[in-house]
Amino acid sequence: MEYFEQHQGKERVILVSVSVQMLDDLDAEEFHLLAQSANAEILEHLFVQRLKPDAKFFVGSGKAEEIAERVKELDANLVIFDHALTPAQARNLENVVHCRVVDRTELILDIFAQRARTYEGKLQVELAQLQHLSSRLVRSRTNLDSQKGGIGLRGPGETLLETDRRLLRIRMGQLKAKIEKVRQTRIQGRVARQKAAVPTVSLVGYTNAGKSTLFNILADSDVYAADQLFATLDPTLRRLQWDGVGNLVLADTVGFVRNLSHSLVESFKATLEETVEATLLLHVIDSSSLEMLEQIEAVEKVLKEIGADVPVLRVYNKIDCSGEDAKIIYRQPGQPERVYVSAHSGEGLDLLRKAVHEALMGQIQHFELVLKPAYGKLRNQLYALNVIQSEHYDDEGQLHINVRIAPPKLEQLIKQAHLPIEEILGSQALQFQRPLEEFEIRPKIE
């Protein structure tokens, strides 16, 4: 077994993409971007084709020798494979190429470690790293079969490798306990929002689809956004006022990639719970990407894996690059399915706000309300939602207000104010789906 010193500065890297018939197709451009995101200096990108992985080297002995020659010629100190390697395969390859060998999961973990900023993010990254390390643990300082020595410690006992594994299990248990505390705090906040009937809209999507840029515009925030993979790792929540909806929580989450290992998904479940428990998901899609369909499939696969059975509105972003027009596509009247926007140019963002309103509250309709002077609280609430189009007083001093609002939201406001819906809406009350008697609420007696 050989051991290699940690390289200071940029790693000099050779990338290896293996196209295996029985495994998922590769995205060479994405793999290249992942390596760049980890601050690697890419010397060469090798491509290998196989019918099935080799049990010993994954790529076969001949190709392993070829990689070793390129490592020597280019003076590389790291080889990265675009597939998950078993511990044995990684060790066998290191013995042949005489430098460190890492796989796709270790590469993503390294990026996560660089990007984690919050307490929760750092906990989740450390847990994921230890879970990955636990299956690859080797000892370099002495023989693995040697026992502890000393008074009271001679005889049968733990090997050094077993000791390391036990310490890892203890540390992983501590991390899981800390993450569970953070999770419980999130649950309390989520329950409070649900009691207050505050909907949560969570942005999900493939990494680098423009989620954080869109989040910053909608929430008037300053979350870090850049043209790179996994620019955002930690979840971010913002409370804001949404026209026609009222208070709303907008959540930005970590981006997904293809071939995301199950262990990574498990480690970041506390973060992804904001997705599972959301009222509506905005699936942000890079409409200019040549791999758009594959990226959509990868995101939907992860959503299914974490059990996110939540209504989804697809947001096709970057139409300034794809050349498409801003528009809303409806599944049926009042139920938007897709909306085309550009977070960079701002084109179509008004349509996105309208689509979110309709997805949360239903189809927007015009109503004329007749309010007595004592019903001023309802008028103030309508102004706060920014749904009033015009208003005027009649000869009897009653206020006539024209509004554009979803019927369920209007029903909710009238119920909360304890006002008679038939008096306020007149014949328009018949537009509601349920009989009028179910909606009618007597004025509150002081």
Side-chain angles (χ1 to χ4, degrees), residues 340-397:
Y340 291 77
V341 305
S342 169
H344 179 70
S345 68
E347 187 179 1
L349 293 182
D350 55 335
L351 296 178
L352 174 59
R353 292 185 175 93
K354 179 175 183 286
V356 170
H357 182 177
E358 293 182 339
L360 288 173
M361 308 305 303
Q363 188 173 15
I364 300 172
Q365 296 182 26
H366 286 269
F367 292 95
E368 182 178 347
L369 281 60
V370 180
L371 303 183
K372 292 180 178 180
Y375 299 166
K377 182 179 178 181
L378 178 59
R379 175 178 178 269
N380 293 339
Q381 290 175 321
L382 293 170
Y383 261 109
L385 292 176
N386 197 27
V387 296
I388 295 180
Q389 303 293 299
S390 63
E391 61 179 14
H392 68 275
Y393 287 93
D394 62 18
D395 295 337
E396 298 177 1

Side-chain angles (χ1 to χ4, degrees), residues 216-403:
N216 285 337
I217 294 173
L218 295 177
D220 191 21
S221 186
D222 57 354
V223 171
Y224 178 68
D227 184 18
Q228 60 186 24
L229 302 186
F230 299 116
T232 303
L233 176 60
D234 303 308
T236 307
L237 281 73
R238 294 288 185 272
R239 191 183 184 104
L240 60 142
Q241 279 286 122
W242 197 280
D243 290 351
V245 177
N247 286 329
L248 178 148
V249 172
L250 195 66
D252 186 21
T253 59
V254 62
F256 302 151
V257 293
R258 271 181 282 183
N259 302 322
L260 194 63
S261 72
H262 182 74
S263 62
L264 289 180
V265 174
E266 282 294 317
S267 298
F268 286 84
K269 266 197 171 178
T271 297
L272 296 173
E273 274 187 355
E274 290 299 337
T275 298
V276 177
E277 300 294 335
T279 312
L280 175 69
L281 297 183
L282 298 186
H283 180 179
V284 183
I285 299 164
D286 182 357
S287 63
S288 65
S289 173
L290 298 176
E291 306 289 334
M292 182 180 70
L293 296 179
E294 290 81 1
Q295 292 175 2
I296 292 173
E297 183 181 354
V299 172
E300 290 179 345
K301 180 180 178 182
V302 176
L303 291 177
K304 183 178 180 181
E305 186 173 351
I306 64 176
D309 186 16
V310 181
V312 177
L313 173 64
R314 288 187 177 181
V315 181
Y316 287 80
N317 190 26
K318 303 186 182 182
I319 60 172
D320 54 314
C321 298
S322 64
E324 295 173 278
D325 296 326
K327 58 188 175 183
I328 301 178
I329 304 296
Y330 288 89
R331 187 180 299 108
Q332 57 187 19
Q335 295 185 14
E337 181 181 35
R338 289 176 279 167
V339 58
Y340 291 77
V341 305
S342 169
H344 179 70
S345 68
E347 187 179 1
L349 293 182
D350 55 335
L351 296 178
L352 174 59
R353 292 185 175 93
K354 179 175 183 286
V356 170
H357 182 177
E358 293 182 339
L360 288 173
M361 308 305 303
Q363 188 173 15
I364 300 172
Q365 296 182 26
H366 286 269
F367 292 95
E368 182 178 347
L369 281 60
V370 180
L371 303 183
K372 292 180 178 180
Y375 299 166
K377 182 179 178 181
L378 178 59
R379 175 178 178 269
N380 293 339
Q381 290 175 321
L382 293 170
Y383 261 109
L385 292 176
N386 197 27
V387 296
I388 295 180
Q389 303 293 299
S390 63
E391 61 179 14
H392 68 275
Y393 287 93
D394 62 18
D395 295 337
E396 298 177 1
Q398 297 185 119
L399 182 62
H400 293 250
I401 301 179
N402 288 300
V403 299

Side-chain angles (χ1 to χ4, degrees), residues 159-177:
T159 64
L160 291 171
L161 180 58
E162 288 169 345
T163 302
D164 283 351
R165 285 177 175 161
R166 179 172 55 82
L167 294 174
L168 269 181
R169 286 195 298 270
I170 292 173
R171 179 57 182 163
M172 287 164 62
Q174 293 171 341
L175 290 171
K176 288 178 181 178

Side-chain angles (χ1 to χ4, degrees), residues 36-39 107 109-117 125 233:
Q36 288 181 333
S37 298
N39 198 32
L107 174 61
L109 280 172
D110 182 79
I111 299 171
F112 281 6
Q114 292 180 39
R115 303 282 160 78
R117 294 291 180 269
V125 168
L233 176 60

Side-chain angles (χ1 to χ4, degrees), residues 61-76:
S61 57
K63 186 58 67 173
E65 292 290 347
E66 182 182 327
I67 294 171
E69 292 176 8
R70 297 303 296 158
V71 166
K72 186 176 181 180
E73 291 171 8
L74 298 174
D75 191 27

